[in-house]
Amino acid sequence: KKKSAPFKRLIAIGILSLVLLTSFVFIARGKKFKPAWHTGNYFGLTGSTGPATAILREHPMMEQAQPGKTEAAIFVDTVAYREKMLHLLNGDSSGMWPVSASYPRSGAILPFKRVIAFYGNLYSKRMGILGELPPDDMLEKLTGEVNRWKMADTTMDVVPALHYIATTAQSAPGKGGKYLQRMPFKQIDSVISMAKRIDAIVFLDIQIGLSNLEVELPMLEPYLSLPNVHLGIDPEFAMKNGTAPGKAVGSFDAEDINYASEFLARLVRESNLPPKILVVHRFTKGMVTNYKNIHTKPEVQLVMHMDGWGGPAKKLSTYQLQIRREPVQFTGFKLFYKNDIRDHNRLLTPGELLALKPQPVYIQYQ
């Protein structure tokens, strides 16, 4: 039968629509199409961080931001991410926090979970709780601290961590003249094995002495390429002026931190890993220079970690001066089981640390 003119028009419109849709898909694929918000920060802001209420701005989801053939989903659930960042902000009204940064790749630990870490070295009982106690007792004590933090903040999941000093600064020059000692791989292997017993993550910490990150980081690449191993770098023992460690406090510049960050980012991209956490120790202004030049990346989550010991007032003041006033991305706080209680002082409680603005998301016990 002869088709009517309106019916012919409907067929033509349908064919044209199909052609246009197919063309759009091919163009998008050919240009690796990315939404306008693909490279934006997590509040949809393009300039400096605005008021805290900007967090609540509506923002499209970025669960699958056009990943490549070998990539996992690039970005996390952005709604949940903003909710956790608002929680960590804790009512801060300074305008400095939160810091404008890109969304992380999927699998990010921060800010979804708070990390509770035990720090130390297996060769020394004086360098931290990690090496002070027998493994079973140490893991039991860490589990207890994790449970305390879970009860203190029921809105945050908690992940335990073993923060192992893999390269230790030395007071003597040693064989290579670099004032450091690299731990044997079998010790790192044993720490990773211990961590598996309680589903903990691992941090490898580097005290470079008179060496540099460009030399030391590649030696740990096989471990840093593992999905559950992260990195800590300690400016206190980075002696750029040639002074022996312990004689003065060293420093890292933004350039050094950016090198470590890009080193980790490359591993994440090449091996399709979840984001790495990079912890930078700090307790004086001079330990980190040019902080405004530190770059954030979707592959790396930066924690500026308050590392000083003393009574509660001194530690809280250091956090305000060296961490809060010079924002980078996330914050951390160290508690010393022994040094913090000298001179009739006491350890700060989880509740007291949760009152900080912003809240630390990485807590380390030494």
Side-chain angles (χ1 to χ4, degrees):
K1 293 182 180 180
K2 188 176 180 180
K3 295 180 174 63
S4 64
F7 186 74
K8 289 181 178 179
R9 285 196 294 271
L10 286 173
I11 293 175
I13 291 171
I15 293 173
L16 179 60
S17 299
L18 182 60
V19 170
L20 290 174
L21 179 60
T22 304
S23 300
F24 174 79
V25 170
F26 278 111
I27 291 171
R29 287 180 177 176
K31 294 185 177 181
K32 296 183 179 179
F33 174 75
K34 297 178 182 178
W37 33 261
H38 182 275
T39 57
N41 62 55
Y42 42 66
F43 305 128
L45 308 176
T46 56
S48 59
T49 306
T53 52
I55 299 174
L56 303 179
R57 178 183 293 185
E58 291 186 3
H59 202 293
M61 295 296 291
M62 296 190 286
E63 294 178 352
Q64 297 283 344
Q66 296 297 325
K69 293 182 180 179
T70 60
E71 293 179 319
I74 296 179
F75 290 105
V76 295
D77 179 337
T78 59
V79 173
Y81 192 90
R82 291 198 309 277
E83 289 176 353
K84 290 300 184 184
M85 291 300 295
L86 179 58
H87 176 70
L88 293 177
L89 191 65
N90 201 26
D92 181 83
S93 59
S94 66
M96 298 183 293
W97 296 89
V99 177
S100 177
S102 298
Y103 287 106
R105 290 168 60 103
S106 63
I109 293 175
L110 310 180
F112 303 103
K113 299 179 180 180
R114 180 170 278 113
V115 178
I116 307 300
F118 270 13
Y119 174 92
N121 181 277
L122 297 183
Y123 283 131
S124 173
K125 293 185 177 182
R126 300 178 60 188
M127 296 181 71
I129 192 68
L130 175 56
E132 181 178 348
L133 299 178
D136 290 347
D137 296 342
M138 182 271 296
L139 294 176
E140 182 180 0
K141 187 175 180 66
L142 175 55
T143 300
E145 295 292 4
V146 166
N147 290 334
R148 286 181 66 210
W149 278 92
K150 286 181 178 178
M151 290 187 292
D153 184 356
T154 58
T155 68
M156 289 281 286
D157 289 334
V158 179
V159 59
L162 300 182
H163 195 123
Y164 182 65
I165 313 169
T167 306
T168 63
Q170 302 291 308
S171 59
K175 186 176 180 179
K178 298 298 182 181
Y179 290 83
L180 58 77
Q181 183 176 358
R182 303 179 185 97
M183 298 299 104
F185 286 170
K186 65 179 182 180
Q187 290 283 17
I188 299 176
D189 292 337
S190 65
V191 171
I192 292 175
S193 295
M194 283 189 281
K196 288 180 180 178
R197 293 170 55 184
I198 58 169
D199 294 323
I201 60 176
V202 172
F203 288 83
L204 299 181
D205 207 84
I206 298 180
Q207 302 173 355
I208 65 171
L210 271 63
S211 184
N212 56 63
L213 294 173
E214 289 82 352
V215 170
E216 300 305 320
L217 283 183
M219 296 184 185
L220 297 174
E221 182 168 338
Y223 291 104
L224 294 172
S225 296
L226 299 174
N228 63 324
V229 178
H230 304 267
L231 178 65
I233 56 176
D234 198 339
E236 179 181 1
F237 303 104
M239 315 310 294
K240 295 182 177 182
N241 60 2
T243 303
K247 300 293 185 181
V249 176
S251 69
F252 277 139
D253 186 69
E255 183 178 359
D256 301 303
I257 297 170
N258 289 337
Y259 170 81
S261 178
E262 179 53 34
F263 183 92
L264 294 176
R266 176 182 60 81
L267 299 181
V268 170
R269 293 191 296 265
E270 290 179 353
S271 300
N272 194 27
L273 301 171
K276 296 290 184 181
I277 301 174
L278 173 58
V279 173
V280 182
H281 302 265
R282 185 178 194 184
F283 58 88
T284 71
K285 184 176 180 62
M287 286 175 69
V288 175
T289 55
N290 298 309
Y291 81 95
K292 291 183 179 180
N293 295 332
I294 298 173
H295 306 311
T296 58
K297 305 174 183 294
E299 302 89 352
V300 180
Q301 303 192 283
L302 282 159
V303 175
M304 302 305 290
H305 176 53
M306 201 296 290
D307 193 18
W309 60 269
K314 181 178 180 180
K315 292 176 72 77
L316 294 174
S317 175
T318 301
Y319 181 84
Q320 293 294 328
L321 291 173
Q322 312 306 341
I323 306 299
R324 179 175 179 264
R325 290 188 183 180
E326 297 196 354
V328 176
Q329 190 174 19
F330 296 100
T331 72
F333 203 104
K334 177 180 279 192
L335 296 170
F336 293 79
Y337 280 121
K338 294 182 178 179
N339 288 352
D340 282 355
I341 63 172
R342 289 182 180 180
D343 302 322
H344 306 289
N345 281 309
R346 61 174 179 84
L347 283 179
L348 286 160
T349 67
E352 289 172 311
L353 296 187
L354 291 173
L356 291 171
K357 301 179 181 183
Q359 290 180 356
V361 74
Y362 172 88
I363 306 296
Q364 184 184 99
Y365 289 88
Q366 179 170 339

